[in-house]
Amino acid sequence: MKCLVTGGAGYIGSIAVKELITKKHEVIVVDNLSKGIKKLVNKKAKFYKLDLTNYKSLSKVFQKHKPEIVMHFAGYKAVEESMQNPEKYSDNVIGTANLLKCMNENKTKKIIYSSTAAVYKPHNKTVTETDELEPNNYYGETKRICEQMILWFSKIYGIKYTIFRYFNVIGDGGLNYIDPEATNVLPIIMEVVMNKRPELQIFGTNYPTRDGTCIRDYIDVIDLVDAHIKSLNKANNEIINLATNSGTSVKELVSEVEKALNITVPKKNKGRRAGDPPTLVASNKKAQKLLKWTPKISLKKSILATYKAYN
Ligand code: UDP
């Protein structure tokens, strides 16, 4: 299949590109390299450095390659930054609008879209796909708007979609991606382990959870990419959570790292970070059923893979 991958030089996209090439698909990558790393893009993929907000350039790529399917990973994803610089995050919407226009103009059949747990109205029960949406930050809102645009383009033009709502993605797919501006907890812990930061700040220890710290559903990036590959010809017009159905608190994550690496991680209890829901854990029943997919990689394995990437 001829597949255009946006954000194909990034953390998740670069692994998806590698897997697509392994499975003999023809791959075209577009990435603005704001956080992507060019050398991670598989040499067999055609690469274009461009920003999705540039409709003219994007349109040329579509006209030249006529992709049959799009995997859309590109987007800004830091929650806190989205509340300080919303203009930047509006590009998530503009880029997706341009992409859908190009898809329609060039008869691209399907989009596989990276959405997020941040579209849901926070609650403490296991999240299912039919739960109420109410993002509490602008990042989540841009993703919800993009989801809605995709649904409308599907309704009006018949473009097929699989929308994946990611929970907390961790691990490494063998390409050793290092986040140049780490904001997520495991990369930050690794920076502490590598002496690039003095300590891990634990954001909030008085949440209504088993040990007072936030609980998240950590899913390995290899399992996540596997679901994307499986959705190339399955799960059309579906919205699907990608998660493990099990939660780990920040304190539990730190102690898993300490056990796995046989070290002590310097840490300090801090106040809550604005906008953090206490618990985010999702059911993955729908993914299991529709994709014949199940996450296979343990938390320990994800930690060891991330550690290897940092070494
Ligand atoms: N967290 C933390 N210290 C950090 C970064 C994150 O305690 O330096 C916590 C954060 O408050 C949340 C969890 O780790 O409860 C996961 O945060 P992350 O930013 O990785 O992902 P999010 O759940 O916000 O998407």
Side-chain angles (χ1 to χ4, degrees):
M1 224 181 259
K2 206 184 267 192
C3 186
L4 183 135
V5 181
T6 76
Y11 170 47
I12 304 169
S14 60
I15 299 166
V17 170
K18 182 182 75 163
E19 287 305 310
L20 286 165
I21 300 264
T22 306
K23 298 209 152 45
K24 307 276 182 251
H25 295 287
E26 187 180 335
V27 182
I28 305 109
V29 170
V30 298
D31 197 303
N32 69 2
L33 297 181
S34 65
K35 284 192 43 164
I37 300 166
K38 171 91 194 292
K39 71 171 197 302
L40 299 188
V41 180
N42 190 289
K43 296 284 170 292
K44 290 190 180 143
K46 189 100 185 92
F47 178 81
Y48 294 90
K49 180 179 185 297
L50 71 86
D51 196 292
L52 297 181
T53 57
N54 185 341
Y55 167 74
K56 257 194 175 163
S57 306
L58 184 64
S59 175
K60 275 190 200 144
V61 174
F62 266 83
Q63 281 168 32
K64 180 156 184 219
H65 294 284
K66 300 278 177 196
E68 299 161 82
I69 194 156
V70 165
M71 278 195 192
H72 181 23
F73 296 100
Y76 300 112
K77 66 168 186 86
V79 168
E80 226 171 2
E81 187 189 37
S82 77
M83 300 301 282
Q84 290 150 0
N85 186 2
E87 294 81 359
K88 176 172 170 183
Y89 281 73
S90 295
D91 283 358
N92 286 351
V93 177
I94 298 164
T96 303
N98 285 340
L99 196 59
L100 288 167
K101 184 166 152 68
C102 288
M103 285 181 67
N104 185 43
E105 285 165 350
N106 293 279
K107 306 204 168 13
T108 308
K109 291 188 185 70
K110 179 169 178 180
I111 180 167
I112 299 169
Y113 180 60
S114 308
S115 188
T116 170
V119 297
Y120 289 109
K121 180 175 186 173
H123 61 68
N124 288 332
K125 289 178 275 216
T126 302
V127 178
T128 61
E129 289 84 353
T130 51
D131 287 353
E132 195 181 342
L133 304 187
E134 194 182 298
N136 66 346
N137 53 67
Y138 189 56
Y139 159 69
E141 187 63 79
T142 66
K143 289 285 176 173
R144 176 166 74 165
I145 296 167
C146 291
E147 284 193 3
Q148 296 298 321
M149 287 196 299
I150 291 167
L151 299 187
W152 280 109
F153 269 69
S154 178
K155 212 179 277 190
I156 297 166
Y157 292 125
I159 289 175
K160 293 184 185 123
Y161 64 86
T162 305
I163 292 172
F164 285 123
R165 293 184 180 143
Y166 300 172
F167 282 67
N168 289 61
V169 187
I170 58 167
D172 184 82
L175 294 176
N176 301 331
Y177 178 87
I178 305 278
D179 193 331
E181 301 154 10
T183 56
N184 292 118
V185 64
L186 191 57
I188 286 176
I189 294 173
M190 288 305 156
E191 289 186 1
V192 175
V193 172
M194 303 309 291
N195 291 318
K196 289 195 181 121
R197 288 179 193 248
E199 71 210 356
L200 170 72
Q201 304 189 333
I202 298 181
F203 296 144
T205 51
N206 61 353
Y207 283 100
T209 58
R210 47 187 178 257
D211 62 16
T213 65
C214 288
I215 292 175
R216 294 289 179 272
D217 190 327
Y218 294 96
I219 171 141
D220 192 273
V221 67
I222 294 177
D223 283 330
L224 186 100
V225 166
D226 181 38
H228 286 68
I229 303 288
K230 290 196 158 84
S231 74
L232 283 171
N233 47 22
K234 264 198 218 107
N236 285 336
N237 303 344
E238 297 286 354
I239 298 180
I240 300 173
N241 288 335
L242 289 181
T244 66
N245 216 348
S246 105
T248 306
S249 76
V250 177
K251 279 189 180 165
E252 287 164 353
L253 180 67
V254 176
S255 90
E256 284 291 327
V257 171
E258 291 180 329
K259 259 196 287 171
L261 304 180
N262 197 20
I263 51 162
T264 302
V265 176
K267 49 201 162 293
K268 202 176 222 169
N269 294 341
K270 287 282 188 183
R272 294 181 176 194
R273 186 173 70 173
D276 273 342
T279 303
L280 254 182
V281 177
S283 161
N284 60 15
K285 270 197 197 132
K286 192 171 177 184
Q288 299 223 26
K289 187 167 168 236
L290 295 182
L291 298 170
K292 312 271 174 279
W293 166 91
T294 180
K296 296 191 177 76
I297 297 173
S298 67
L299 187 58
K300 182 178 175 189
K301 273 202 175 153
S302 303
I303 291 167
L304 290 172
T306 308
Y307 178 68
K308 193 161 167 266
Y310 276 78
N311 273 274

